[in-house]
């Protein structure tokens, strides 16, 4: 956790992005480090956790981070939390909470609340279209012998 907090301070003061840092650990060893690079890369998905996930998967040559834990200086936003689930991370440790981030103006807590709403009640309209065509692709993929479900 010390390293995640150190990264959050150092890199945010360098102007790379918000004050967020992440460290992925396996067997007591740091596999990857990440820090918020939203401003540096003009990419709203370059959160500390996302950067750390990408680096760890690249290093391990695996899309699964089973057996790993992540330490983040702030509770993951919904995007990062979802990515951590997709990555199969074993445990998440965080320091500050999403309401602490909201106090600084970040939308993490708002997004958690927004996800609880029904699609028609969300701030951004969301509509379903061309389901039949999409399902046809799913059916073809389901027939593949070498498919990998992740």
């Amino acid at each position: 956790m010390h390293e995640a907090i150190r990264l959050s301070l150092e890199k945010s003061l360098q102007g790379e992005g918000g004050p967020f840092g992440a460290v992925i650990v396996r067997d007591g060893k740091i596999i990857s480090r990440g820090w918020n690079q939203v401003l540096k890369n003009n990419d709203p998905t370059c959160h500390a956790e996302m950067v750390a996930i990408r680096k760890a998967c690249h290093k391990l040559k695996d899309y699964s981070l089973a057996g790993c834990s992540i330490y983040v200086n702030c509770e993951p936003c919904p995007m990062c939390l979802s990515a951590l689930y997709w990555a199969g991370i074993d445990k998440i440790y965080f320091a500050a909470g999403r309401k602490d981030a909201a106090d600084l103006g970040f939308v993490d807590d708002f997004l958690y609340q927004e996800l609880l709403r029904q699609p028609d009640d969300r701030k951004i309209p969301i509509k379903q279209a061309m389901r039949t065509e999409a399902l046809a692709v799913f059916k073809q993929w389901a027939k593949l012998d070498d498919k990998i479900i992740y």
Side-chain angles (χ1 to χ4, degrees):
M1 187 63 77
H2 289 287
E3 180 64 1
I5 292 171
R6 185 192 70 75
L7 286 168
S8 71
L9 175 63
E10 177 185 317
K11 298 302 183 176
S12 66
L13 293 179
Q14 291 174 357
E16 294 198 9
F20 305 102
V23 176
I24 294 179
V25 174
R26 178 184 271 173
D27 298 326
K29 295 182 180 173
I30 294 176
I31 301 297
S32 69
R33 292 170 173 83
W35 53 90
N36 187 288
Q37 297 178 35
V38 169
L39 301 178
K40 178 183 177 187
N41 294 323
N42 293 313
D43 182 345
T45 69
C46 276
H47 290 199
E49 299 92 331
M50 302 296 281
V51 173
I53 289 168
R54 290 173 185 141
K55 287 180 178 180
C57 289
H58 181 76
K59 182 175 182 175
L60 298 173
K61 296 179 177 38
D62 197 342
Y63 62 85
S64 173
L65 295 178
C68 296
S69 296
I70 189 166
Y71 294 82
V72 291
N73 72 302
C74 188
E75 182 177 4
C77 74
M79 173 184 68
C80 294
L81 181 62
S82 297
L84 291 165
Y85 271 92
W86 278 111
I89 204 106
D90 284 2
K91 196 157 195 178
I92 301 167
Y93 298 92
F94 70 91
R98 63 183 183 227
K99 293 195 184 298
D100 298 316
D103 290 344
L104 294 173
F106 291 98
V107 298
D108 304 46
D109 191 50
F110 164 77
L111 293 174
Y112 273 101
Q113 298 305 314
E114 189 75 357
L115 291 173
L116 295 174
R117 299 180 192 279
Q118 292 300 314
D120 289 340
D121 296 330
R122 293 183 183 150
K123 195 165 188 100
I124 297 175
I126 182 170
K127 303 292 179 196
Q128 188 173 23
M130 298 184 67
R131 180 173 181 261
T132 303
E133 292 82 353
L135 289 178
V137 175
F138 281 8
K139 288 177 184 174
Q140 289 299 313
W141 183 84
K143 294 176 185 176
L144 295 176
D145 291 331
D146 60 349
K147 67 182 168 294
I148 297 173
I149 300 175
Y150 51 91

